[in-house]
């Protein structure tokens, strides 16, 4: 029975196996690590001024109105993208009564400077007496996506 440190031969055998395994994993992982690293550097090196862009929200009575408004908003360069979110349920007070309706939500990505023109377009083309148009400034996001919004929607 031997108690104490392992022999030099057993240490060398274990160390060389670990070294070979490390080299093989590094060779296989190089491309993946390179891609992830370049993507992370790209995102970290781009700058964005908080609030330059906004996400605006508009509710619509049905899919037809939502699609018509969304297409018009994008065609007029008032937004880069409009997501149509179907089947939301709205509960609200209107003329002294609590109402509950199925609606469609538009989520609109645009420049903050375009929100007043966007609101005017919606008011002029929406069937509601009081159309919902609210916006929130975008604080952060994927820099290439935010750059794309800026490229699509002119100042």
């Amino acid at each position: 029975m031997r108690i104490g440190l392992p022999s030099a031969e057993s240490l060398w055998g274990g160390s060389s196996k670990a070294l070979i395994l490390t080299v093989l994993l590094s060779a296989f992982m190089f491309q993946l690590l390179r891609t992830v690293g370049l993507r992370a550097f790209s995102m970290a090196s781009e700058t964005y001024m908080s609030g330059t862009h906004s996400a605006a929200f508009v509710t619509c009575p049905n899919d037809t109105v939502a699609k018509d408004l969304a297409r018009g908003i994008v065609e007029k360069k008032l937004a880069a993208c409009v997501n149509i979110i179907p089947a939301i349920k709205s509960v609200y007070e209107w003329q002294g009564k609590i109402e509950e309706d199925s609606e469609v939500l538009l989520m609109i990505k645009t420049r903050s400077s375009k929100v007043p023109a966007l609101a005017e377009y919606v008011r002029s083309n929406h069937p509601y007496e009081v159309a919902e148009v609210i916006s929130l400034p975008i604080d952060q996001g994927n820099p290439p996506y935010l750059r794309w919004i800026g490229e699509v929607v002119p100042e």
Side-chain angles (χ1 to χ4, degrees):
M1 174 179 199
R2 184 171 175 205
I3 299 176
L5 298 173
S7 69
E9 293 83 24
S10 65
L11 280 176
W12 172 248
S15 296
S16 63
K17 288 178 185 174
L19 178 63
I20 291 170
L21 182 61
T22 301
V23 169
L24 287 173
L25 283 174
S26 296
F28 290 120
M29 296 297 291
F30 176 76
Q31 187 61 38
L32 174 65
L33 294 173
R34 181 176 178 274
T35 301
V36 169
L38 287 174
R39 190 166 289 153
F41 176 77
S42 170
M43 289 179 70
S45 64
E46 295 185 42
T47 60
Y48 171 74
M49 185 181 302
S50 177
T52 301
H53 298 75
S54 288
F57 301 91
V58 173
T59 52
C60 301
N62 57 53
D63 198 50
T64 302
V65 170
K67 286 178 182 177
D68 290 346
L69 281 173
R71 182 165 292 284
I73 288 166
V74 174
E75 285 175 351
K76 294 192 176 307
K77 301 272 187 197
L78 296 172
C81 176
V82 179
N83 300 113
I84 300 172
I85 303 166
I88 65 167
K89 188 65 82 172
S90 296
V91 178
Y92 56 97
E93 183 178 322
W94 182 248
Q95 299 178 340
K97 293 190 292 187
I98 302 297
E99 303 284 344
E100 185 174 320
D101 286 314
S102 293
E103 294 184 295
V104 177
L105 179 66
L106 301 181
M107 186 171 68
I108 304 162
K109 279 74 71 179
T110 189
R111 287 182 180 271
S112 295
S113 62
K114 290 291 187 178
V115 171
L118 170 67
E120 180 56 37
Y121 178 82
V122 171
R123 281 193 302 273
S124 298
N125 293 281
H126 201 291
Y128 287 170
E129 185 179 333
V130 178
E132 174 186 353
V133 182
I134 59 173
S135 72
L136 301 168
I138 296 173
D139 184 42
Q140 337 178 15
N142 180 17
Y145 183 80
L146 297 172
R147 186 177 59 247
W148 171 75
I149 293 172
E151 291 168 358
V152 172
V153 181
E155 291 275 353

